[in-house]
Amino acid sequence: MKKPLVGILMGSDSDYEVMVQAAEALRSFEVEFEMIVTSAHRSPERTAEYAGTAAERGIRVLIVGAGAAAHLAGVVASETTLPIIGVPIDSSCLKGMDALLATVQMPAGIPVATMAIGKAGARNAGLFAVQILAGSDERLAQAMRQSRQTMAEGVAEKSDRLQQRLIADGLM
Amino acid sequence: MKKPLVGILMGSDSDYEVMVQAAEALRSFEVEFEMIVTSAHRSPERTAEYAGTAAERGIRVLIVGAGAAAHLAGVVASETTLPIIGVPIDSSCLKGMDALLATVQMPAGIPVATMAIGKAGARNAGLFAVQILAGSDERLAQAMRQSRQTMAEGVAEKSDRLQQRLIADGLM
Amino acid sequence: MKKPLVGILMGSDSDYEVMVQAAEALRSFEVEFEMIVTSAHRSPERTAEYAGTAAERGIRVLIVGAGAAAHLAGVVASETTLPIIGVPIDSSCLKGMDALLATVQMPAGIPVATMAIGKAGARNAGLFAVQILAGSDERLAQAMRQSRQTMAEGVAEKSDRLQQRLIADGLM
Amino acid sequence: MKKPLVGILMGSDSDYEVMVQAAEALRSFEVEFEMIVTSAHRSPERTAEYAGTAAERGIRVLIVGAGAAAHLAGVVASETTLPIIGVPIDSSCLKGMDALLATVQMPAGIPVATMAIGKAGARNAGLFAVQILAGSDERLAQAMRQSRQTMAEGVAEKSDRLQQRLIADGLM
Amino acid sequence: MKKPLVGILMGSDSDYEVMVQAAEALRSFEVEFEMIVTSAHRSPERTAEYAGTAAERGIRVLIVGAGAAAHLAGVVASETTLPIIGVPIDSSCLKGMDALLATVQMPAGIPVATMAIGKAGARNAGLFAVQILAGSDERLAQAMRQSRQTMAEGVAEKSDRLQQRLIADGLM
Amino acid sequence: MKKPLVGILMGSDSDYEVMVQAAEALRSFEVEFEMIVTSAHRSPERTAEYAGTAAERGIRVLIVGAGAAAHLAGVVASETTLPIIGVPIDSSCLKGMDALLATVQMPAGIPVATMAIGKAGARNAGLFAVQILAGSDERLAQAMRQSRQTMAEGVAEKSDRLQQRLIADGLM
Amino acid sequence: MKKPLVGILMGSDSDYEVMVQAAEALRSFEVEFEMIVTSAHRSPERTAEYAGTAAERGIRVLIVGAGAAAHLAGVVASETTLPIIGVPIDSSCLKGMDALLATVQMPAGIPVATMAIGKAGARNAGLFAVQILAGSDERLAQAMRQSRQTMAEGVAEKSDRLQQRLIADGLM
Amino acid sequence: MKKPLVGILMGSDSDYEVMVQAAEALRSFEVEFEMIVTSAHRSPERTAEYAGTAAERGIRVLIVGAGAAAHLAGVVASETTLPIIGVPIDSSCLKGMDALLATVQMPAGIPVATMAIGKAGARNAGLFAVQILAGSDERLAQAMRQSRQTMAEGVAEKSDRLQQRLIADGLM
């Protein structure tokens, strides 16, 4: 088994449904990852320990998802100089706006690379980790370029299928 | 010199103008305090060290001010079981809304008692610390009740002065 | 029967589902409480009477939940010098943002210690009341420290269970 | 001296600049008013006393301005069945959004007729009080209708002057 | 059949579920009303015609509900000097925030007395209309005072029933 | 088959339910249109190609719907001088507020005519395209005027039916 | 003197500084316009009269700017089938968010083509009017295409000048 | 002269004051960069050309700042698989909230790593670019770790200086 290059952290196991999108994106590029639950507030030592030792264990990028007063990505960022990607999660009644602001509005000095709220953001976190790794891995760089082309073709196919729907609805 | 009962923390020395309101409130009740700068992100060890040892040094309440992605109060709260009072500070272009949400929307398990954004909140943080301490200090309890009466009288005096202003403006 | 140390107030009986979280938190620390419905607007005398006599009946902390233009915590705070903990409740179409601002943005002089919107906030209100009482009750202080340790262990257990889920989803 | 028909209340004398707009509107219709400072939180008894006796002293409408967690209008409304007109004041860093929500989102049972934030709202509060009184005072009703006509003529005059400005700017 | 004193207008028949709350409030005080659908945008002449003739037909107050870019209350207010009560309706994906701002932020000169978003606001609009009419109708004034007392008693009864619920949940 | 005058673009086929409202509005005025899926981000070349050649293929107006960070309308606008109508779509947890701001806040130089969020906006986009085309097509101008009259009559009919509902509910 | 093709309306003469941007945009394309002040609320008859007769006087497009509860564009749109371009103006303490929502969230049936808040929006309103007129005026179409090219060249020039600034700042 | 590894793009030269923070951060780590002005909307070809050729010219990371409907980062991201760091700029009356949402809410497939609004975000964009490059450059990794230590020491020094200020203010 190969050593993971990416760590995926989440503040609560209820964030799994969202954060699994990051895992799937990494898996589709055959990038090894590990995934753990740790909380900025409920398990601060565990969080500091994990973040502080990630680099020496070979981790290259950390993806961190959290909701509400989402401090986890910032706290992890304070313990390591690895690139941190933050995913705000919509888990309070404020629809993720709290998590977005708590993740993105980091003070000068400690960046958190913030993605969109929720599943789209988690998937993009996985892709962005691949883009970072691709800087020194030509296989990944090429796979990413290929993936973009596939995406563009998928759009054209969806557009073609839309014509059938217009006909079915009597609009063409 | 008596040992401080309240610690006032702020994420940046630029927060002093706001947080000094808490100090003045404590001073007016003759409650000893200490005040330090420490950042959740730029000095995580210093923050954890301070929060983790505050109780054993005799601190009874911590007041924590921070702006933007204001993680400091939550991070301090994760390192101690002392009551934490959070003051969101208006130091980004979002006018303190980011700091408010990042301070107040704490997950179940680790409370932060959040005050209003800015100077009113900092002053109230000082007063709330006094109210907590007053639970086991009858001198403080009585001083707080007295202070409320003085406040009420001040309102009536301001109202009286308003009549002069109405006359000056030709409205009475 | 022991006398209650904490009073839990709510503006409407429809807030019970949220505020019962505070009751359960207090119960888990064996702190006696009482719970009543009273409205800032529909029963102002009842509210003033309750708040004005709470201290002399031995109440040490008041937890107040309300939604929409949530005035109840502020009104209660104006009638007593006991520490008031406010819980904004998501009961209008504005998703609790109205209740949050109406609870937290108190003017200088009368603090309300505001918790997160909804159930997490209500649970934290109960915990924060325990933290206040723990200032002069070593049994509570120790129980709170123990509870934090249990929480941290719970996070690690959840993380372990997550690995099974990754395997089940074919991601590990 | 005639007895006042309208009471103008404000939570702080710093609200005078805004609330004087209401006074001027009433004055322009020769409606007698009184103006006092009283706070929902700092002087609750004074507020309840004033609101509870206003009707018997001949007051017919109350105009109430407050900022931040603007509880004053709601608190006054809970103590009387006179019509209450609320004016949210922009006196915190949230630009009056807090005052607006705390004033307008009243629960079913106790209405507060809310005006726009700030000076426009205060002026309209005065006009709305006149509209209420005009329901049983034909002089006021006629004066209000006349005032509308004057306003419409003022718009046309401003439009005429605009043409000069366009010419001055070389655009006509 | 007595002539209606209050007109209830709504921009769309889909607003009926909300606006019927105003009708029920008026009915409970035996105040006659009429209710019509008219749109600021889809039927501007009908709206102007209705608003412009309401006073002479004996209408004393108009209650106007609308959602989204809720112009109806303002447009009606521009055509009459009767008091206009606006009810913002949550009928777009912005949860009534659009309707609230479009109703309440009226420019100086033309007030709209704005209530809370949705059903609570519609009910309060009915009650506020009664409060206006009560200014010259002692029967209504007395009924309104009586209604407040009944409300306060209702709160106490709900509080009593809450105790049963606490026992059932094993918390008392 | 006549050549289309209007192109309807959407960023994802999941936007069809919303954007079909534009198609139906155009169809009701017998205006020919075409509808395609293309993404600002996933298929940038396809988007530039379509937008850049639309005018020469006889397209006169483009209607563009997109959600979240809705860049599509702006990107299309940058590639053609045809009038672009943007429809923000509610497809993220921020309820379309993100799409609204990303569509409407275009910098000086490249306008996007923005409609309401969601289905109402899509329908209005179709109607606005007709209004643009009607500037040089008297048949369309007359049909649009006729359609307005039908709308106004529909409002009156809905109002009549409302009276039945009031009677059924025992309110008349 | 040629007859104006575009009418620019604003709710108050204080909106001139913003709306003159639309005039300047039209002037730069040699499109004749007229500009008037009229208010949805203060001069409803004037507004309806102007809007209702604009088409027959040869006006082809209306540009409408208003702030706060910005009803003017919607009210004008209800009186004509000409294309209406709305410009939200930042003239209240809510920074134009109120004007934006009141302008853009129009109900299905009556579109208002909304531009960005403030000066950028006013300039774009002028440009969008040109784009509409260009549909049947090849001179305008060509001038608009030319203008786009000039804009692109301007960007490259600004970029060149930026290099000097970097050198001056010691960064290159 | 060494070839640049980072490209800094901005939508307007008025964004320079903000984006120069990114340049200074890169300079302090001796990372070569280039800086250009290009607009998503005013110069789409220039933007596509720059983004599409950046990788082959040796650029490893792109930092993109834009305000209002900030499409530039997303548009650049659609033309390259290099990592894109987005900086929302506060250049409209909505205080950067529009730029934040338009930058961060990217759809699944095309990530933009979003930083805080304004100068803090621009500085962090520079630091995050260094963190990405440090993944394959041990000199940078070590410099970044050293920089963190210096930051932590700076916090302690600021805290020491604060004590003088407290004494000067008579609070210690």
Side-chain angles (χ1 to χ4, degrees):
Chain A
M1 190 179 125
K2 286 198 284 185
K3 288 208 306 191
L5 297 175
V6 179
I8 303 175
L9 284 72
M10 66 196 79
S12 160
D13 58 346
S14 62
D15 301 332
Y16 177 81
E17 289 296 324
V18 171
M19 296 310 293
V20 77
Q21 304 283 328
E24 287 172 0
L26 291 167
R27 163 59 51 107
S28 72
F29 284 91
E30 291 171 30
V31 172
E32 297 296 314
F33 63 90
E34 63 189 20
M35 187 187 261
I36 73 158
V37 179
T38 192
S39 162
H41 305 117
R42 285 180 287 235
S43 60
E45 281 174 45
R46 175 181 168 86
T47 299
E49 165 77 15
Y50 180 88
T53 61
E56 66 202 42
R57 288 184 298 105
I59 295 288
R60 298 273 303 280
V61 182
L62 290 169
I63 295 172
V64 186
H71 298 186
L72 188 58
V75 164
V76 167
S78 75
E79 300 280 356
T80 177
T81 56
L82 290 176
I84 307 300
I85 306 174
V87 180
I89 295 182
D90 166 16
S91 61
S92 77
C93 56
L94 295 182
K95 295 293 165 201
M97 184 51 93
D98 43 4
L100 171 58
L101 297 182
T103 303
V104 80
Q105 286 291 80
M106 289 293 287
I110 310 289
V112 168
T114 305
M115 298 290 141
I117 304 167
K119 290 186 176 178
R123 179 163 180 76
N124 278 351
L127 297 177
F128 195 74
V130 174
Q131 287 178 287
I132 290 174
L133 296 170
S136 53
D137 181 336
E138 186 49 32
R139 179 191 69 80
L140 282 179
Q142 202 168 334
M144 182 55 78
R145 285 190 296 269
Q146 176 60 43
S147 148
R148 288 285 179 91
Q149 201 168 320
T150 309
M151 252 196 305
E153 290 162 7
V155 170
E157 283 163 23
K158 279 177 182 169
S159 193
D160 290 348
R161 281 200 295 272
L162 197 73
Q163 309 312 312
Q164 309 308 317
R165 209 159 159 190
L166 280 168
I167 292 167
D169 286 356
L171 287 162
M172 276 284 152
Chain B
M1 193 177 120
K2 286 197 286 185
K3 288 208 307 189
L5 297 175
V6 178
I8 303 176
L9 285 72
M10 66 196 79
S12 160
D13 58 348
S14 61
D15 300 332
Y16 176 80
E17 289 295 324
V18 170
M19 296 310 294
V20 78
Q21 304 284 331
E24 287 173 0
L26 291 168
R27 164 58 51 107
S28 72
F29 285 92
E30 293 169 32
V31 171
E32 297 295 314
F33 63 90
E34 63 189 20
M35 189 188 260
I36 73 158
V37 180
T38 192
S39 163
H41 305 117
R42 283 180 289 235
S43 60
E45 281 173 45
R46 176 181 167 84
T47 299
E49 165 75 15
Y50 180 87
T53 61
E56 66 202 44
R57 288 183 299 107
I59 296 288
R60 297 273 304 279
V61 182
L62 290 168
I63 296 173
V64 186
H71 298 186
L72 187 58
V75 164
V76 167
S78 76
E79 299 282 355
T80 178
T81 56
L82 291 176
I84 306 300
I85 307 174
V87 180
I89 295 182
D90 166 15
S91 60
S92 78
C93 55
L94 296 183
K95 297 292 166 202
M97 184 50 95
D98 43 4
L100 171 57
L101 298 182
T103 303
V104 79
Q105 286 290 80
M106 290 292 289
I110 311 289
V112 168
T114 305
M115 298 289 141
I117 303 167
K119 289 185 177 180
R123 180 164 178 75
N124 278 350
L127 297 178
F128 196 73
V130 175
Q131 287 178 288
I132 290 174
L133 295 171
S136 52
D137 181 336
E138 185 50 31
R139 180 191 69 80
L140 282 179
Q142 202 168 332
M144 182 54 79
R145 285 190 295 268
Q146 177 59 44
S147 149
R148 288 285 180 90
Q149 201 168 319
T150 309
M151 253 196 306
E153 289 161 8
V155 169
E157 283 163 23
K158 280 178 181 169
S159 195
D160 290 347
R161 281 199 294 274
L162 197 73
Q163 309 311 315
Q164 308 309 316
R165 209 160 161 189
L166 280 168
I167 292 167
D169 286 357
L171 287 161
M172 278 282 154
Chain C
M1 191 177 124
K2 286 198 286 186
K3 288 209 308 191
L5 296 175
V6 178
I8 303 175
L9 285 72
M10 66 196 79
S12 159
D13 58 347
S14 61
D15 300 333
Y16 177 81
E17 289 295 325
V18 171
M19 296 310 292
V20 77
Q21 304 284 328
E24 286 172 1
L26 291 168
R27 163 60 51 111
S28 72
F29 285 91
E30 292 169 31
V31 171
E32 298 296 313
F33 63 90
E34 63 188 20
M35 189 188 260
I36 72 158
V37 179
T38 192
S39 163
H41 305 117
R42 284 181 288 234
S43 61
E45 282 173 45
R46 174 182 170 84
T47 299
E49 164 76 14
Y50 180 87
T53 61
E56 67 202 42
R57 286 184 299 107
I59 295 288
R60 297 274 303 280
V61 182
L62 290 169
I63 296 172
V64 186
H71 297 187
L72 187 58
V75 164
V76 167
S78 75
E79 300 281 355
T80 177
T81 56
L82 290 177
I84 307 300
I85 306 173
V87 181
I89 295 182
D90 166 16
S91 61
S92 78
C93 56
L94 295 182
K95 296 291 166 203
M97 184 51 94
D98 43 5
L100 171 58
L101 297 182
T103 302
V104 80
Q105 285 290 81
M106 290 292 289
I110 310 289
V112 168
T114 306
M115 297 290 141
I117 304 166
K119 290 185 177 180
R123 178 162 179 78
N124 278 351
L127 297 178
F128 195 74
V130 174
Q131 287 178 288
I132 290 174
L133 295 171
S136 52
D137 181 337
E138 186 50 30
R139 180 191 68 80
L140 283 178
Q142 202 168 333
M144 182 54 78
R145 285 190 297 269
Q146 176 59 44
S147 148
R148 287 285 180 93
Q149 201 168 320
T150 309
M151 252 197 304
E153 289 161 8
V155 169
E157 283 163 24
K158 280 177 182 169
S159 194
D160 289 347
R161 282 200 293 274
L162 197 73
Q163 310 310 313
Q164 309 308 317
R165 208 159 161 190
L166 281 168
I167 292 167
D169 286 358
L171 286 162
M172 277 283 153
Chain D
M1 192 177 122
K2 286 197 286 187
K3 288 208 308 190
L5 297 175
V6 178
I8 304 176
L9 284 73
M10 66 197 80
S12 160
D13 58 347
S14 61
D15 300 332
Y16 177 81
E17 288 296 324
V18 171
M19 297 309 294
V20 78
Q21 303 284 329
E24 287 172 1
L26 291 167
R27 164 58 52 108
S28 72
F29 285 91
E30 293 169 31
V31 172
E32 298 296 314
F33 63 90
E34 63 189 19
M35 188 188 263
I36 73 157
V37 179
T38 192
S39 163
H41 305 117
R42 284 180 289 235
S43 60
E45 281 173 46
R46 176 180 167 86
T47 299
E49 165 75 15
Y50 180 88
T53 61
E56 67 202 42
R57 287 184 299 108
I59 295 289
R60 297 273 303 279
V61 182
L62 289 168
I63 296 173
V64 186
H71 298 186
L72 187 58
V75 165
V76 167
S78 75
E79 300 282 354
T80 178
T81 56
L82 290 176
I84 307 301
I85 306 175
V87 181
I89 295 183
D90 165 16
S91 60
S92 79
C93 57
L94 295 182
K95 297 290 166 202
M97 184 51 93
D98 43 5
L100 171 58
L101 298 182
T103 303
V104 79
Q105 286 290 81
M106 290 292 289
I110 311 289
V112 168
T114 305
M115 297 290 141
I117 303 167
K119 289 185 176 179
R123 180 165 178 76
N124 278 349
L127 297 177
F128 196 73
V130 174
Q131 288 179 286
I132 290 175
L133 295 170
S136 52
D137 181 338
E138 185 51 28
R139 179 190 70 80
L140 283 179
Q142 202 168 334
M144 182 55 77
R145 285 190 296 268
Q146 176 59 43
S147 149
R148 289 285 180 92
Q149 201 168 319
T150 309
M151 254 197 304
E153 289 161 8
V155 169
E157 283 162 23
K158 280 178 182 168
S159 193
D160 289 347
R161 282 199 295 273
L162 197 72
Q163 309 311 312
Q164 309 308 317
R165 208 159 161 192
L166 281 168
I167 291 166
D169 285 357
L171 286 162
M172 277 284 154
Chain E
M1 190 176 125
K2 285 199 285 187
K3 287 208 308 188
L5 297 175
V6 179
I8 303 175
L9 286 73
M10 65 196 81
S12 160
D13 58 348
S14 62
D15 300 332
Y16 177 80
E17 288 295 325
V18 171
M19 296 310 293
V20 78
Q21 304 284 329
E24 286 172 1
L26 291 167
R27 163 60 50 109
S28 71
F29 285 90
E30 293 170 30
V31 172
E32 297 295 314
F33 63 89
E34 63 189 19
M35 189 188 261
I36 72 158
V37 180
T38 191
S39 163
H41 305 117
R42 284 179 288 236
S43 60
E45 282 175 43
R46 174 180 169 86
T47 299
E49 165 76 15
Y50 180 87
T53 60
E56 67 202 43
R57 286 185 298 106
I59 296 287
R60 297 273 304 279
V61 183
L62 289 169
I63 296 172
V64 186
H71 298 187
L72 187 58
V75 164
V76 167
S78 76
E79 300 281 356
T80 177
T81 57
L82 291 176
I84 307 299
I85 306 173
V87 181
I89 295 182
D90 167 15
S91 61
S92 78
C93 56
L94 295 182
K95 296 293 166 200
M97 184 51 93
D98 43 3
L100 171 59
L101 297 182
T103 303
V104 79
Q105 286 289 83
M106 290 292 289
I110 310 288
V112 168
T114 306
M115 298 290 142
I117 304 167
K119 290 186 177 180
R123 177 161 181 78
N124 278 350
L127 297 178
F128 195 74
V130 174
Q131 286 177 286
I132 290 174
L133 296 171
S136 52
D137 180 337
E138 186 48 32
R139 179 190 69 80
L140 282 178
Q142 201 169 334
M144 181 55 77
R145 285 191 295 268
Q146 176 59 44
S147 148
R148 288 285 180 92
Q149 201 169 318
T150 308
M151 252 195 306
E153 290 162 7
V155 169
E157 283 162 23
K158 279 176 181 171
S159 194
D160 289 346
R161 280 200 294 274
L162 197 72
Q163 309 311 313
Q164 309 309 316
R165 208 159 160 191
L166 280 168
I167 293 168
D169 285 357
L171 287 161
M172 277 284 153
Chain F
M1 190 178 124
K2 286 199 285 188
K3 288 208 309 189
L5 297 175
V6 179
I8 302 175
L9 284 72
M10 67 196 79
S12 160
D13 59 347
S14 61
D15 301 331
Y16 177 80
E17 288 295 325
V18 171
M19 297 309 294
V20 77
Q21 303 284 329
E24 287 172 2
L26 292 167
R27 164 57 52 107
S28 72
F29 286 90
E30 293 170 31
V31 172
E32 298 295 314
F33 63 90
E34 63 189 20
M35 188 186 262
I36 73 158
V37 180
T38 191
S39 163
H41 305 118
R42 283 180 288 235
S43 61
E45 282 175 44
R46 175 179 167 87
T47 299
E49 165 76 15
Y50 180 87
T53 60
E56 67 203 43
R57 287 184 298 107
I59 296 288
R60 297 274 303 280
V61 182
L62 289 169
I63 295 172
V64 185
H71 298 185
L72 188 58
V75 164
V76 166
S78 76
E79 300 280 356
T80 178
T81 55
L82 290 177
I84 307 299
I85 306 173
V87 181
I89 294 182
D90 166 16
S91 61
S92 78
C93 56
L94 294 182
K95 296 293 166 201
M97 183 51 92
D98 44 3
L100 171 58
L101 297 182
T103 303
V104 79
Q105 286 290 81
M106 290 292 289
I110 311 290
V112 168
T114 305
M115 299 289 142
I117 304 167
K119 289 185 177 180
R123 178 163 179 78
N124 278 351
L127 297 177
F128 196 74
V130 174
Q131 286 177 287
I132 291 174
L133 296 170
S136 52
D137 181 338
E138 186 49 32
R139 179 191 69 79
L140 282 179
Q142 202 168 332
M144 182 54 78
R145 285 191 296 268
Q146 175 60 44
S147 148
R148 288 285 180 92
Q149 201 168 317
T150 309
M151 252 194 308
E153 290 161 8
V155 170
E157 283 163 24
K158 280 177 181 168
S159 194
D160 290 346
R161 281 199 294 273
L162 197 73
Q163 309 311 315
Q164 310 308 317
R165 210 159 159 189
L166 280 168
I167 292 167
D169 285 358
L171 287 161
M172 279 282 154
Chain G
M1 192 178 123
K2 286 197 285 186
K3 288 209 306 192
L5 297 175
V6 178
I8 302 176
L9 285 72
M10 66 197 80
S12 161
D13 58 347
S14 61
D15 301 332
Y16 177 80
E17 289 295 324
V18 171
M19 296 310 293
V20 77
Q21 304 285 329
E24 288 172 0
L26 292 167
R27 164 59 51 110
S28 72
F29 285 91
E30 293 171 29
V31 171
E32 298 295 314
F33 64 89
E34 64 188 19
M35 188 187 262
I36 72 158
V37 179
T38 191
S39 163
H41 306 118
R42 284 181 288 235
S43 60
E45 281 174 45
R46 175 180 168 84
T47 300
E49 165 76 14
Y50 180 88
T53 61
E56 68 203 42
R57 285 183 301 105
I59 296 288
R60 297 273 303 280
V61 181
L62 290 168
I63 295 172
V64 186
H71 298 186
L72 187 58
V75 164
V76 167
S78 75
E79 300 281 354
T80 176
T81 56
L82 291 176
I84 307 299
I85 306 174
V87 180
I89 294 181
D90 166 15
S91 60
S92 79
C93 56
L94 295 183
K95 296 293 165 201
M97 184 51 92
D98 43 4
L100 171 58
L101 297 183
T103 303
V104 78
Q105 285 290 82
M106 290 292 289
I110 310 289
V112 168
T114 305
M115 298 289 142
I117 304 167
K119 289 185 178 181
R123 179 162 179 77
N124 278 350
L127 297 178
F128 196 73
V130 175
Q131 287 178 288
I132 290 174
L133 296 170
S136 53
D137 181 338
E138 186 49 29
R139 179 191 69 79
L140 282 179
Q142 202 168 333
M144 182 54 78
R145 284 190 296 269
Q146 176 60 43
S147 149
R148 289 284 180 92
Q149 201 168 320
T150 308
M151 253 196 305
E153 289 162 9
V155 170
E157 284 163 22
K158 280 176 181 170
S159 194
D160 289 347
R161 283 199 294 273
L162 196 73
Q163 309 311 312
Q164 308 308 316
R165 209 160 160 189
L166 280 169
I167 291 166
D169 285 357
L171 287 163
M172 278 282 152
Chain H
M1 191 176 125
K2 285 197 285 184
K3 289 208 307 189
L5 296 176
V6 178
I8 303 176
L9 285 72
M10 65 196 79
S12 159
D13 58 347
S14 61
D15 300 332
Y16 177 80
E17 288 295 324
V18 171
M19 296 311 292
V20 78
Q21 304 284 329
E24 287 173 1
L26 291 167
R27 164 60 52 108
S28 72
F29 284 91
E30 293 170 29
V31 171
E32 298 295 313
F33 64 89
E34 63 188 20
M35 189 188 261
I36 73 158
V37 180
T38 192
S39 163
H41 305 118
R42 283 179 290 234
S43 60
E45 281 174 44
R46 176 181 167 86
T47 299
E49 165 75 15
Y50 180 87
T53 62
E56 67 202 41
R57 285 183 301 106
I59 296 288
R60 296 273 303 280
V61 182
L62 290 168
I63 295 172
V64 186
H71 298 186
L72 187 59
V75 164
V76 167
S78 75
E79 300 281 355
T80 177
T81 56
L82 290 176
I84 307 300
I85 306 174
V87 181
I89 295 182
D90 166 15
S91 60
S92 78
C93 57
L94 295 182
K95 297 292 167 201
M97 184 51 94
D98 44 3
L100 171 58
L101 298 183
T103 303
V104 80
Q105 286 290 81
M106 290 291 289
I110 311 288
V112 168
T114 305
M115 298 289 142
I117 303 167
K119 289 184 178 181
R123 180 164 177 77
N124 278 350
L127 297 178
F128 196 74
V130 174
Q131 287 178 288
I132 290 175
L133 296 170
S136 53
D137 180 337
E138 185 49 31
R139 180 190 69 80
L140 283 178
Q142 202 168 334
M144 182 54 80
R145 284 191 297 268
Q146 177 59 44
S147 149
R148 288 284 179 92
Q149 202 168 319
T150 309
M151 253 196 304
E153 290 161 8
V155 170
E157 283 162 23
K158 280 177 181 169
S159 193
D160 290 346
R161 281 199 294 273
L162 197 72
Q163 309 311 313
Q164 308 308 317
R165 209 160 161 189
L166 281 168
I167 292 166
D169 286 358
L171 287 161
M172 278 282 153

